[in-house]
Amino acid sequence: MTTTTKTPTAKKSSTSEGAAKNTASSKTATMATTAAHSTSTRATKSDAAKVKAKSGAAKDLADLFEDGLKDIYWAEKELLKALPKMQKNASTADLQQAIEKHITETKTHVKRLEECFKAIGKKALAEKCEAMEGLIEEGNSIIEETEKGYVRDAGIIAAAQKVEHYEIATYGTLAAFAKVLKDKISLNLLLQTLEEEKNCDETLSTIADTNLNTKAK
C-alpha cells in the first residue's frame, strides 16, 4: 500500500501572501511616518523663520519712511565725525580735496534731512544705523592696516565708496517712498542729496583710476 504525502501548497501561499501584506503595510507605515516627520520639520523651520514684530514696529509706508530718515540721519552725523580722519590720513591732494568737499556736502545732507522731518511733521531724531557703524569701523581698520601713501589712499577710497554706495541705495529708496507718499518736499530734498552722493562716488572712481591704484602696486 502506497502512502501519498500531500504538500500544503495552499497554506504556504497563504503564509507568503500574509508576509507580503505585512511588509507592504510596514512600508506604508514607514512612508507615512517619514512624510509626517518631513512635514513637521518644514513646519518647525517655517515657524523658526518667522519674526515677531517688536513694540513700535512700522505699520505702514509712512512709518517705514520715518524710520529710514532716522537711520540715515544718524549715519550722516556719524560720517561727519569720520570723514576728517580719512582726510587727515590721505596723501593725495585730489583725495584730500574730494573728502573736504564731501564734508561740506554732508553738513548740507544733515540739514536736508531735518527739513524732511519737518515736512512730515516729526521731530528730527537719529536712530543708530548698524550698517554705517560697520562701514566706518572698516574704514578705520583700513587706515590702521596700511602704510601711509598710495596704498592707504587706495584703501580709503575703497572704504569711502562702500559708504557712498550704501547712501545711494538709502536715498534712492527713501525718494521712492516719498514719491508714493506724495511728499514733494522730501522727494526734492532727497533727490538733491542722491545726486551729490552719486557725483562723489564718480569723483572717487576717477581719482583711483588716475594712476593711484597703479602706484599702489
Side-chain angles (χ1 to χ4, degrees):
M1 181 178 177
T2 304
T3 303
T4 303
T5 303
K6 294 183 179 180
T7 305
T9 305
K11 190 173 182 180
K12 284 187 177 180
S13 176
S14 175
T15 302
S16 178
E17 289 177 2
K21 287 181 180 180
N22 288 337
T23 301
S25 177
S26 177
K27 286 183 178 180
T28 301
T30 301
M31 290 173 65
T33 301
T34 302
H37 177 71
S38 178
T39 301
S40 176
T41 301
R42 286 198 298 270
T44 301
K45 289 182 177 179
S46 177
D47 290 339
K50 293 179 181 178
V51 178
K52 184 178 180 181
K54 65 180 183 179
S55 176
K59 295 180 176 62
D60 53 30
L61 192 64
D63 288 345
L64 194 60
F65 179 64
E66 183 182 353
D67 288 347
L69 290 177
K70 291 177 181 178
D71 186 86
I72 195 64
Y73 187 49
W74 185 95
E76 292 286 26
K77 293 176 81 171
E78 287 300 306
L79 192 56
L80 277 176
K81 301 175 186 178
L83 285 173
K85 183 176 180 179
M86 287 186 176
Q87 182 187 30
K88 184 177 180 179
N89 284 278
S91 301
T92 310
D94 287 346
L95 181 54
Q96 291 174 339
Q97 291 169 10
I99 296 174
E100 176 64 35
K101 179 183 178 183
H102 200 55
I103 290 173
T104 301
E105 289 177 337
T106 302
K107 291 177 181 177
T108 301
H109 298 170
V110 171
K111 292 179 180 178
R112 284 184 189 144
L113 288 170
E114 290 170 349
E115 288 298 311
C116 288
F117 279 109
K118 185 177 179 181
I120 62 174
K122 302 290 183 178
K123 182 179 179 180
L125 295 173
E127 287 189 359
K128 187 176 180 179
C129 173
E130 294 181 358
M132 182 59 78
E133 181 182 43
L135 290 171
I136 289 174
E137 287 180 359
E138 182 177 348
N140 288 333
S141 295
I142 288 176
I143 291 173
E144 293 171 359
E145 295 169 3
T146 53
E147 292 291 339
K148 188 171 184 178
Y150 292 119
V151 174
R152 180 175 290 175
D153 284 359
I156 288 174
I157 290 175
Q161 287 195 291
K162 288 183 181 181
V163 169
E164 290 307 311
H165 293 174
Y166 174 75
E167 291 186 305
I168 289 169
T170 299
Y171 280 110
T173 298
L174 290 176
F177 287 174
K179 185 176 180 179
V180 172
L181 294 168
K182 300 187 185 304
D183 182 352
K184 294 182 180 179
I185 294 176
S186 294
L187 177 59
N188 181 54
L189 292 167
L190 293 166
L191 287 177
Q192 288 181 58
T193 297
L194 177 61
E195 189 62 26
E196 289 172 358
E197 300 291 10
K198 288 180 178 179
N199 289 339
C200 180
D201 182 52
E202 290 178 5
T203 297
L204 291 171
S205 290
T206 300
I207 294 172
D209 290 341
T210 311
N211 293 324
L212 190 151
N213 285 343
T214 301
K215 292 176 180 177
K217 289 175 63 177

